[in-house]
Each structure stands twice: as C-alpha cells, then as structure tokens.
C-alpha cells in the first residue's frame, strides 16, 4: 500500500470556474455550504477541474486501500474544504482510509514557530505511515510546499505537485545527495528481452510523438523490469504526461502500465508498458518508480 500526505488549500471554495459549465454552485460565496449539494456537483465534474487536491489524487492513481491523510490549515475555510474532500474521496471514489489532520497554528498569518511545528508533524506522520510514502504539495499555500520540500528531502520522501503551466505531476529534487530515497528500484524480475527490442512502435508515426518521447523512450529501455512497450489507444485514459495502472493484464498475467504523453492537440502519444510483475506489490512498486521517474524527467 501507499500513504499520501496531502496539503489542503481552498481551491475547492475559490476556483472561479470561468470556462467550466456547470460552475460550482458556491462561486463567489464565502463558504461552500451544503455538503450534499457540493458532492452532487463534484460527482459530475472531472477530477482535474474540481480542486488542486482532486487533480493530484487523479494523477497519483491510488487504490481504495491506500491511506490518504489530508493536512489542512486551522481556518474555517480550510476545515470546510478538507471535510468535503474527505466525504468525496470516501463516498464517490471509494477510498477506505481517509483522515483529517490539522496543521497546528498554521494559518495565513504565518509565524516561524508554526512552520516548525508543521515540519515536526510531517516527520512524525511519515515515520508512522505504512508502505510507500508520498508528500503531495499542490494544495495549500507556498510556505507549506516549502516545508514539505525540506522535510521530504531530509527523509528521502518524494514530494510532488501539479505544475501550473504543463498540467503534469512534477517531483521536487532531493536536496541532500547523501539521503537514500524511500522509493528504490522496483523489486521486479529483470526482463530477458534484448533491450533494443523493448520499444515496438510504428516508425511512420514519429511525427505525432511529443518531443519528450526521446527521453521517455530511453527511460523505459533502461528500466530492467520493462519487458515491452507498444502503442495503445486505451492509454489515453491515463493523465496527460502521467502514469496509470491498466485495467487488464497481459495474456500470461503480467501487470501493464499506461503512459499518456501530451504536448498539443496534434502531438501526443499513448503507450502500454508491459512489466515483468505478477503480484499487487509488483504493480505498486513499478507504478511508483515509473511515476516518479517520469515526473522528474518531464
């Protein structure tokens, strides 16, 4: 399993929805109000458009058994957004382990001691978390993302956020080279396939490929647990410039990952990545490694 520690901001409340129809019913109001009305709108809106937190959730592709810890500021708006997001993750998306944790004393009148307490809390939560731990810093304000970056670098925990321009999951660099990252190489069997035969795409489709494909192709060829890479239109179901577990396996039962690379309306590519893994742990490890490597690469 994995544990995602996610900062919560107020984008669920404050996003203006200029180009979105229907707009959230509380646009321009000081609070969201009726949770049932909020859930009804959220259930018929794409995850990418609801809030910073749901967009990040969509790209991390957790299973229902994964733990999701929502870290919210001690403000009325922060608490309301966190409570409604918790309801949505549980009722609409089937997440079984969602918890709310306040950030003591952290509000929009920042004090140094408040940020220090946030750092201490992050360390405590990370040390007690189960499985693969990820810090998701898209929601909340910039000071919180800064603290997550520092603590994540100290502990070797990956810190991700949604890049506003590229609309993709980006991973912050580890600032201390001596720290061992907590996401090591996925413990899958090595593929016996000649690495020059791993990528099997039609040569006449190169003009549709994003410029990032050159780097991604090398990444996939160098990962020893990647057995075969082919074009697959189903992989467009993955987030743009992201990774998603496929909804079916290979004929012999191996797990498959989808990658969707997007540069423009006319320049994009969707591929299936056949792994050497058979178990749920294999899938979790492969997806975590590939997602982080892709996020750092792009």
């Amino acid at each position: 399993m994995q544990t995602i520690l996610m900062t919560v901001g107020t984008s669920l409340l404050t996003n203006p929805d200029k180009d979105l129809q229907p707009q959230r019913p509380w646009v321009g109001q000081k609070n969201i109000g009726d949770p049932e009305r909020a859930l009804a709108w959220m259930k018929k809106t794409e995850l990418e458009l609801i809030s910073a937190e749901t967009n990040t959730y969509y790209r991390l592709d957790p299973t229902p058994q994964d733990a999701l810890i929502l870290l919210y500021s001690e403000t009325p708006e922060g608490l309301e957004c966190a409570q409604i997001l918790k309801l949505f993750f549980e009722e609409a998306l089937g997440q079984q382990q969602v918890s709310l944790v306040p950030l003591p004393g952290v509000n929009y009148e920042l004090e140094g001691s408040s940020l220090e307490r946030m750092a201490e809390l992050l360390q405590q939560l990370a040390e007690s978390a189960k499985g693969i731990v990820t810090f998701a810093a898209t929601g909340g304000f910039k000071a919180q993302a800064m603290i997550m970056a520092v603590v994540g670098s100290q502990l070797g925990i990956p810190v991700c956020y949604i890049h506003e321009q590229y609309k993709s999951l980006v991973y912050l660099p580890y600032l201390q080279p001596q720290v061992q990252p907590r996401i090591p190489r996925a413990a899958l069997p090595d593929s016996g396939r000649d690495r020059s035969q791993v990528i099997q795409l039609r040569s006449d489709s190169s003009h549709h490929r994003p410029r990032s494909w050159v780097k991604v192709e090398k990444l996939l060829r160098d990962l020893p647990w990647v057995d075969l890479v082919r074009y697959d239109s189903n992989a467009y179901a993955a987030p743009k410039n992201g990774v998603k577990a496929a909804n079916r396996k290979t004929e012999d039962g191996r797990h498959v990952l989808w990658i969707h690379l997007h540069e423009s309306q006319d320049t994009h590519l969707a591929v299936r990545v056949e792994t050497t893994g058979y178990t749920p742990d294999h899938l979790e490890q492969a997806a975590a490694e590939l997602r982080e490597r892709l996020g750092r690469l792009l």
Side-chain angles (χ1 to χ4, degrees):
M1 67 171 292
Q2 65 173 326
T3 297
I4 300 170
L5 281 76
M6 178 183 296
T7 51
V8 174
T10 58
S11 62
L12 179 62
L13 168 64
T14 60
N15 277 1
D17 294 346
K18 293 181 180 179
D19 300 317
L20 180 62
Q21 291 295 334
Q23 293 183 327
R24 59 199 73 210
W26 54 89
V27 166
Q29 299 179 11
K30 293 183 178 180
N31 56 62
I32 296 172
D34 182 8
E36 293 303 320
R37 181 186 65 166
L39 288 177
W41 177 83
M42 294 166 75
K43 288 177 181 178
K44 59 185 179 183
T45 306
E46 295 181 14
L47 292 176
E48 294 175 280
L49 304 177
I50 294 174
S51 71
E53 297 80 15
T54 59
N55 191 6
T56 306
Y57 171 95
Y58 166 61
R59 295 173 185 280
L60 288 173
D61 194 28
T63 68
Q65 294 74 34
D66 290 335
L68 188 58
I69 301 175
L70 303 180
L71 308 169
Y72 65 93
S73 305
E74 286 190 319
T75 64
E77 298 85 359
L79 174 59
E80 182 184 39
C81 288
Q83 289 174 332
I84 292 177
L85 284 168
K86 181 177 186 293
L87 285 175
F88 178 70
F89 287 135
E90 292 174 337
E91 295 186 14
L93 302 180
Q95 290 301 131
Q96 300 172 9
Q97 300 186 60
V98 185
S99 57
L100 299 181
V101 175
L103 296 172
V106 176
N107 53 47
Y108 288 91
E109 297 177 356
L110 291 177
E111 299 177 359
S113 60
S114 300
L115 295 179
E116 290 174 3
R117 290 200 297 272
M118 177 182 173
E120 294 171 356
L121 176 62
L122 283 175
Q123 184 167 351
Q124 294 170 3
L125 292 172
E127 290 175 349
S128 62
K130 297 180 180 179
I132 297 172
V133 181
T134 299
F135 286 170
T138 306
F141 47 96
K142 292 182 179 179
Q144 293 176 337
M146 176 187 69
I147 295 300
M148 271 198 159
V150 172
V151 176
S153 181
Q154 290 176 340
L155 301 180
I157 294 174
V159 182
C160 65
Y161 73 102
I162 303 294
H163 193 288
E164 293 181 1
Q165 178 178 354
Y166 299 108
K167 307 297 182 183
S168 60
L169 200 64
V170 174
Y171 283 80
L172 301 180
Y174 294 111
L175 303 178
Q176 301 183 37
Q178 70 273 20
V179 174
Q180 181 68 31
R182 291 200 182 187
I183 297 185
R185 174 190 179 279
L188 278 68
D190 289 352
S191 168
R193 191 182 300 272
D194 188 305
R195 303 320 288 168
S196 65
Q197 302 299 314
V198 169
I199 310 296
Q200 297 189 11
L201 300 183
R202 294 188 316 179
S203 59
D204 60 350
S205 64
S206 60
H207 61 288
H208 296 301
R209 299 175 188 175
R211 287 170 292 181
S212 59
W213 171 245
V214 175
K215 295 180 179 179
V216 176
E217 180 180 16
K218 183 180 185 303
L219 167 65
L220 294 174
R221 186 179 287 114
D222 289 346
L223 286 173
W225 48 263
V226 171
D227 186 61
L228 192 63
V229 178
R230 293 175 175 170
Y231 171 78
D232 185 350
S233 61
N234 293 313
Y236 284 118
K240 292 178 181 178
N241 298 313
V243 177
K244 182 178 178 62
N247 57 11
R248 62 183 62 184
K249 301 178 182 180
T250 62
E251 291 184 358
D252 61 348
R254 289 177 289 114
H255 288 293
V256 176
L257 298 172
W258 286 335
I259 296 179
H260 174 191
L261 298 179
H262 182 91
E263 185 174 315
S264 69
Q265 192 67 27
D266 299 319
T267 309
H268 45 76
L269 181 64
V271 297
R272 58 181 280 133
V273 179
E274 297 183 8
T275 76
T276 59
Y278 289 89
T279 70
D281 283 345
H282 284 161
L283 176 60
E284 180 179 271
Q285 293 174 32
E289 180 179 7
L290 184 56
R291 184 176 293 112
E292 181 175 355
R293 288 185 181 275
L294 190 66
R296 297 186 184 281
L297 189 67
L298 299 179

